Amino acid sequence: MKLLHNKHGRLEKTFFYRYYKYVLWISLTLYFSSSYLIGHHHRQYHPKPDTTTHVSRALSQSTPTNATTPSLKNLKVFVYDLPPKYNTDWLANERCSTHLFASEVAIHRALLTSEVRTFDPYDADFFFVPVYVSCNFSTINGFPAIGHARSLISSAVKLISNDYPFWNRSRGSDHVFVASHDFGSCFHTLEDVAMEDGVPEIMKNSIVLQTFGVKYDHPCQRVEHVVIPPYISPESVRRNFPANGRRDIWVFFRGKMEVHPKNVSGRFYSKKVRTMIWRRFNGDRRFYLRRHRFAGYQSEIARSVFCLCPLGWAPWSPRLVESVALGCVPVIIADGIRLPFPSAVRWADISVTVAEHDVGKLSEILEHVAATNLSSIQRNLWDPRTRRALLFNSEVQEGDATWQVLRGLSEKVDRSYRSSRVSRQLDVDT
């Protein structure tokens, strides 16, 4: 705009100068105000995690990936107070709370003092049924006698369905059991018989925490379940934990070498994996192979680079947990095995998998690993979060095995009667 040069020119110049100055001031004020509001809104929309929340902190510490994981913050579990004949009476056998099947005891104990426990069953997402079925050892070789399991569980279900309304209202879909023996929810120690018997009818609608897990179709998996690790005493791990990192055993295995027939998906055949290992590598000085266990064998694991974890009666083995906990690279020889807690334990990064038909090539395979990525595997293996995720404690600890069980249950919360009722109510309200 051209300014007028007359006797009022000075006045008009001053007026327009003040006008533009005022417009500029207003524009800058609006700009900075809007920037602040946008930034402030952005910070509100993406709040920082509440570091004072116990479960949120545990979730971030125990998850090695960036995947979205469910929150345990509002999870509630009701633990049935059953007569001692269903659980604590079995503890008269001292091994009941320490052997490889003892997760049924450890999970029960941990839940009793857990923050997720509720004493109000109407507020519960899940109902834990503490029936110990793997405690009874009647044979000298340590195999569990679980012929009583089906009748004991049936008796417990009859009791809770008569005394409480919660089993009947959901048909048991939000009720949780533990089956910590070889073939899980089939409740038999021989696979062919277990497959023929299948899952007890009374449990087919429930959730089973079981050590047995395979990637192929199997009658003992035809029930909602969470695969859990076998029990290894945290005290024994701490006692044998390597202090100096010295590993003078290249490949280690101690255990039974007998041939065990097995039946997978209806195809009966004999896998001589352990026998093949013994016959092929017993004369190799780099392979430390022993047929029998002894009380301090975990000290040998702590000295070893590779620990063989071949299948036996079932695909899983306590050696999986012992190896990881003591820093020995597990060599998994069990086709189709389904491993516990894959969202917390990066199995592919901490172990070596060898197909059963390649067991004769173990030496070449492990030599190749040692020459290429052994250091990387060992670094991943020594992540304390991995060790924590596979060990059960007497009380739930952030990221430990019972915590991982609860996380697995939280992913199945749609089976909860309370959750589905709330969901239906929200649908009505909206």
Side-chain angles (χ1 to χ4, degrees), residues 36 71 96 124 145 164 200 221 245 257 259 269 274 278 289 318 325 374:
Y36 170 79
S71 171
C96 181
Y164 299 89
Q221 283 194 158
M257 291 288 187
V259 178
Y269 61 103
R274 295 192 180 195
W278 176 262
L289 307 177
L374 176 59

Side-chain angles (χ1 to χ4, degrees), residues 18 85 133 138 150 158 176-177 190 223 233 237 242 293 313 319 373:
R18 290 178 178 176
K85 71 174 183 178
V133 298
S138 60
R150 291 173 181 255
K158 182 178 180 180
V176 182
F177 299 84
L190 297 177
V223 63
S233 166
V237 170
R293 285 191 179 189
W313 290 94
R319 295 169 186 83
N373 61 334

Side-chain angles (χ1 to χ4, degrees), residues 217-234:
D217 181 46
H218 195 287
C220 300
Q221 283 194 158
R222 293 171 189 168
V223 63
E224 193 71 28
H225 60 279
V226 176
V227 178
I228 63 175
Y231 180 83
I232 299 299
S233 166

Side-chain angles (χ1 to χ4, degrees), residues 243-310:
N244 55 14
R246 177 175 170 266
R247 297 190 178 267
D248 57 340
I249 299 173
W250 194 57
V251 182
F252 172 75
F253 177 82
R254 180 182 286 276
K256 296 180 182 297
M257 291 288 187
E258 289 79 7
V259 178
H260 298 305
K262 71 173 187 174
N263 188 304
V264 177
S265 300
R267 294 176 287 109
F268 186 78
Y269 61 103
S270 177
K271 290 276 187 169
K272 302 179 181 180
V273 170
R274 295 192 180 195
T275 300
M276 287 178 63
I277 292 172
W278 176 262
R279 291 175 180 172
R280 175 71 176 80
F281 300 108
N282 185 43
D284 191 328
R285 291 186 178 182
R286 299 171 301 171
F287 283 70
Y288 186 88
L289 307 177
R290 299 294 184 270
R291 284 182 176 271
H292 305 290
R293 285 191 179 189
F294 79 103
Y297 79 100
Q298 286 187 356
S299 63
E300 296 173 322
I301 294 177
R303 293 168 47 201
S304 303
V305 177
F306 295 104
C307 288
L308 302 184
C309 303

